[in-house]
Amino acid sequence: MQTAVCKHLGLLRGGGRSGSAQTTGRCTTQGRVMPPRWRGSAKVQVQLGAGSVYPKYVKSLFGARRSVQWPARAAKGQTVVSTGVKVEFTAKEAALKDAALQRDRADVDLIKEFGKAGKFFSAPLMPIAGATHTMFFNRAWGQFYDSKRRETVLIGGFNNWGTGDFRAQMRHVQTQGVDGDWWKCEFKVPENVYNMRLLFSDGGDRFDKSDDDRDYTLVPTFAPTKEECEAAIEEEIKRQAITRQAEEDMHEARDSVNQQRAGLEFHFKDAYVEWKHNDGSLVLWTEPAQMVPGTTATVFYNTNMTALNGQGDIVLMTGVNGWAAPEEIVMKRSTNGGRYEDNVFETKVTLAETTHVLDIVVTNGSKSVYDNNNRKDYHLKVASGALLTEAEWEAAAVALFKKRRTTRLMHQLNEERRQEELTEKRARTRMEATKVLRKKLMHVLYTEPANPVAGEKVTIFYNNKNTNLEWSEEIWLRASFNRWTHAAPLAPIKMGHVANCPHLCATIEVPKDAHMVDCVFSSAGGDEEWVQYDNAMGLDYHFMTTGATTKPPPLHVMHIAVEMAPIAKVGGLGDVVTSLARAIQDIGHKVEIVLPKFAFLNHSPILTQMTHETSFDWGGCTHHVSTQLVEGVRVYFIDSQNGMFNTGSVYTTGNVDGPKFDFFCKAALEFMLKSGRQPDIIHCHDWSTAMATKFYWSDYHHNGLHNPRCVFTIHNLEFGQAKIGEAMFASQVATTVSPSYAEEISGHPAVSTQLAKFHGVVNGIDPEIWGPEEDQFLPMQFSSDNCTAGKEASREELRRRLGLTGWEDRPIVAIISRLTAQKGIDLIKHAANHTKSRGAQFILLGSAPDPKIQSDFNALGSHLSDENAAFIFQYDEPLSHLIYAGADMICVPSIFEPCGLTQLIAMRYGTVPIVRQTGGLYDTVFDVDHDKGRAAWEIFGSVDPEKDGVDGTNGFSFGGADASSFNYALDRALDGFYNDRNWFRSLQQRCMTQDWSWNKPALTYIELYHQAKKQ
């Protein structure tokens, strides 16, 4: 006989919580183990053999020994005489039947059996998705036991209060001879929920929660996981949206047809087969006189006694049934106009089957004079008799609905295809980025095969002469798998020499379940203190495998930030938070962002789908948390009821912003704690959320939020240096936005003591936000394949919009920048003058927060503005896109620039950057005359560009901060344009082909996240 046993992991005790409670199922069918939780359609068969006695009791799914009311059950203790009767049922069906039996038991019996284990329990004990339950609560053990209100209420909800909130009035239970003050009520657990949150109330302001002041949480059996549930909810939302859209489409179609009907009926009353003047002379008539739908007729128009008399060309403007399907037809002089022959014009008109009225207005060729029948228009009757029936009008509405629906579905299908193509493109560029990173590593380390295969051998080649172990006479390989988590790590292996090769080698067997090979190298095989290691500066060396039976578990990263593009963007920080989160998520990791719910976000046209996530009390007030997907990333907005974030902008003043953002940091951590989140990484940004790293370790790590490690990014060291210093100390990994900027600030006291954890990672841009292939602000979308034509169209439109001349097609030099000292305002002014002196055109888009600086630029603009120079002192997003696409060169003469996005965006649009060699500008722009080697290494991983036939140069650069240094770069760029236009266009095309997306930076950040996890 086959049996099924489900083990209950314990009842709630005291004020405890069963958030981790699960059900384990095991089936003793021929030694096979049934998967936990008995979900799906797994079958359990009960074989009732001939002459066997049906068991009086079996152990129920929840530990209570009860009779099981299975189908074909004999009376209690009765022998079943059968030859092979088989009763088949699912595990869930069995659980539901057992649950019904439990709920049928007397209340007192249930309380006697289970009431001593905790203050409340349900029958069945473990909630079952889709089942009705009875909840029992011992008020005598509750937190409002002394309340004078004789009312008890169960307050519940599902999916972390996201769906199905309810209040159930509980009834008092008579329990003679049983201790306690017991109450009960019924509630139902829906099918598609992953948890149930609940608390008890006295009907007033007293509540019973768990000991840590959180709501109780129950996890139903036979329920989807959180991810499955959220996916199902999302699908249901999509289905409902499709249904709503169909209803709206049908409603709009009927409205459209009704408007057409009303117009047709109105015009039909005033329609005639011909129109005459008061003297009886014809103005407008047709042949045949009674037009017939579905045929062709000739329309005649007599200009005598009309406003068009004596005009040259005559144009007939027509529509049907109330000006639907408008059309313009040039008429010709008629040779069949009778006595009006000299002034009659005619044209042929084709009538559709559904035409009832032909609407007409007549004008001249220049459309300066009209005859519209004294603003009533002319209406010629096409069909005699009645118009359409009600059924025909409804059929017309259905036909219009189908047409619109087809158009919409085709649009959706095209959008889905576009998204699939974008996904494939991202995967390809990510693969190319990985290849470049691997190629740049080959002078130190490579494998054969290049992509290790799980279950097969791989040979690892290592050249210690290019590492910190170059002095060691012997090298030992220390390897494992799956980021050092594999159950069978390898013993150290001494690497051997390879003939005619500077690399040493060792061969290892890759287990079938290894999705990654991990390795570091050491100067000896032991663990003595004197042994030195090469662990890639703490990152270790890793190679992904193919064909593994396991996949790398995704990281859970939560960003705490005060900026996020496009909803709360002030500067580059907002762009980085959004784009980095998207890039990490695209690779397969879970990424969430926590933001303050500033007051101005209430008016955002993007945030129209926010839903309530949770609420919690902390810091002397209640905090409501809402959530929505923004740019495809899950964002949580903390709305503190003390008004802390009730501001009209992200930043106000330092006196206010400092305490405000510190408060937000703690609120964000409190949200993680109260909602049960345990991310792997908490990523904080700049001074505004720097203190979250310190607060985490001092207040939260040892109080429930134990799992995360902290990563901190400096976007600009100019502000909040004291708080940045705190974060540098408290974080496990720290980064800034480019390697050169990391070097420039490495001596600052806030940074200098933490250099071992400090990394410079160049920012990227999101090519789907910044890209001419789909940019709706451009007159023509283009790619690197048609770069020359696309930029030419943008140049023409840019000149037209700004009033610049197109004579000689002069080069356009542009600057898009805030006008501050950091951006090099003196060099910007010099660029304007020098560009014009070289015969080129100059465009400046930007403004100064300092009134004095703005006044200086206003004067400069007044002096230089003409057909070759334009100054726009306000930010204009659509115009910025057009400038990026239409300009030939863009100048970024910053005094210091942590990373800079302007030069990256410009190259994406095929505009050549001219930059000062500082920070991220130096790391991303490679001078065509001086940086061929550096460009080949960074872009292609090549150490010999001539041999490999590659050229990664992409712009012009200068080192000084004076005008002559700037001229050295700007003049070379202009000379290149003037002397060899084809070469310059090829340089623009080369800029477009380079990948400055988040592909490579995201891969680096993932390694840094894993490094932080190890700390």
Side-chain angles (χ1 to χ4, degrees), residues 429-734:
T429 54
R430 194 160 52 241
M431 186 178 299
E432 289 300 318
T434 303
K435 287 181 180 178
V436 171
L437 292 174
R438 292 282 293 271
K439 189 173 181 180
K440 293 170 71 173
L441 188 62
M442 288 186 69
H443 70 294
V444 172
L445 179 68
Y446 67 93
T447 65
E448 287 185 1
N451 297 308
V453 180
E456 298 182 9
K457 292 183 178 181
V458 62
T459 301
I460 298 172
F461 294 84
Y462 176 73
N463 183 1
N464 64 304
K465 300 304 180 184
N466 291 324
T467 73
N468 62 305
L469 298 179
E470 55 88 19
W471 56 270
S472 182
E473 295 183 358
E474 58 183 49
I475 297 296
W476 291 72
L477 167 67
R478 297 168 184 259
S480 185
F481 311 97
N482 301 347
R483 294 195 182 274
W484 307 99
T485 63
H486 198 271
L490 302 178
I493 302 172
K494 186 177 181 179
M495 304 189 75
H497 291 275
V498 181
N500 301 319
C501 179
H503 288 69
L504 305 173
C505 75
T507 301
I508 61 174
E509 182 85 25
V510 181
K512 192 66 179 173
D513 61 350
H515 52 258
M516 178 175 284
V517 178
D518 318 302
C519 48
V520 298
F521 302 90
S522 62
S523 59
D527 295 323
E528 294 83 0
E529 291 185 2
W530 55 266
V531 176
Q532 295 191 26
Y533 295 83
D534 173 16
N535 62 0
M537 298 183 67
L539 298 177
D540 301 339
Y541 295 102
H542 304 282
F543 296 93
M544 294 296 296
T545 69
T546 59
T549 58
T550 62
K551 293 183 178 180
L555 291 167
H556 181 190
V557 181
M558 294 195 74
H559 291 266
I560 302 178
V562 301
E563 291 188 44
M564 181 190 181
I567 55 174
K569 175 185 172 180
V570 177
L573 190 157
D575 290 309
V576 171
V577 169
T578 302
S579 299
L580 175 59
R582 279 165 52 96
I584 298 295
Q585 183 171 269
D586 284 344
I587 297 175
H589 301 281
K590 180 179 180 179
V591 185
E592 298 172 315
I593 300 173
V594 186
L595 286 179
K597 192 170 185 293
F598 298 109
F600 66 83
L601 293 177
N602 293 325
H603 310 292
S604 172
I606 298 174
L607 301 177
T608 58
Q609 305 294 324
M610 281 208 285
T611 58
H612 178 72
E613 173 70 15
T614 188
S615 296
F616 62 91
D617 294 327
W618 169 83
C621 70
T622 298
H623 307 261
H624 299 305
V625 182
S626 52
T627 184
Q628 182 181 322
L629 288 175
V630 179
E631 297 293 326
V633 180
R634 176 63 59 187
V635 183
Y636 298 99
F637 301 88
I638 296 182
D639 186 6
S640 301
Q641 298 306 291
N642 60 2
M644 187 70 76
F645 311 129
N646 190 23
T647 59
S649 61
V650 174
Y651 303 104
T652 53
T653 64
N655 294 337
V656 174
D657 287 345
K660 175 177 70 178
F661 292 146
D662 288 352
F663 182 84
F664 165 66
C665 289
K666 284 197 172 184
L669 294 169
E670 194 72 20
F671 162 62
M672 295 180 197
L673 176 66
K674 292 288 180 66
S675 61
R677 284 171 168 78
Q678 293 288 347
D680 298 298
I681 300 295
I682 296 174
H683 195 153
C684 305
H685 299 267
D686 249 357
W687 70 272
S688 51
T689 58
M691 296 304 290
T693 60
K694 179 181 180 180
F695 297 152
Y696 169 73
W697 290 105
S698 63
D699 300 333
Y700 288 90
H701 178 69
H702 299 291
N703 292 295
L705 190 61
H706 58 83
N707 186 60
R709 297 296 181 266
C710 296
V711 173
F712 174 67
T713 297
I714 301 173
H715 296 262
N716 193 333
L717 189 57
E718 188 176 7
F719 308 101
Q721 296 166 357
K723 291 186 176 183
I724 287 175
E726 294 277 10
M728 288 294 298
F729 177 79
S731 60
Q732 283 59 69
V733 166

Side-chain angles (χ1 to χ4, degrees), residues 30-50:
Q30 299 177 356
R32 293 192 301 270
V33 177
M34 182 176 289
R37 301 179 68 186
W38 283 359
R39 289 167 38 214
S41 58
K43 296 287 186 178
V44 178
Q45 297 182 359
V46 178
Q47 179 72 46
L48 303 182

Side-chain angles (χ1 to χ4, degrees), residues 728-801:
M728 288 294 298
F729 177 79
S731 60
Q732 283 59 69
V733 166
T735 70
T736 191
V737 293
S738 70
S740 291
Y741 188 63
E743 184 177 349
E744 290 170 10
I745 65 175
S746 61
H748 192 282
V751 177
S752 59
T753 61
Q754 304 296 328
L755 295 181
K757 67 173 72 167
F758 193 42
H759 304 264
V761 183
V762 173
N763 285 342
I765 58 172
D766 193 326
E768 294 171 24
I769 297 174
W770 292 104
E773 293 88 351
E774 297 186 11
D775 196 323
Q776 299 303 309
F777 296 128
L778 305 185
M780 170 185 170
Q781 283 75 50
F782 63 95
S783 67
S784 59
D785 295 332
N786 61 339
C787 170
T788 300
K791 289 189 71 65
E792 181 179 0
S794 294
R795 276 198 307 275
E796 292 177 358
E797 175 60 21
L798 180 60
R799 285 173 171 145
R800 185 197 66 79
R801 190 173 301 185

Side-chain angles (χ1 to χ4, degrees), residues 121-140:
F121 68 91
S122 67
L125 297 180
M126 182 65 72
I128 303 172
T132 299
H133 304 71
T134 302
M135 176 65 72
F136 292 87
F137 173 65
N138 186 357
R139 181 165 169 154

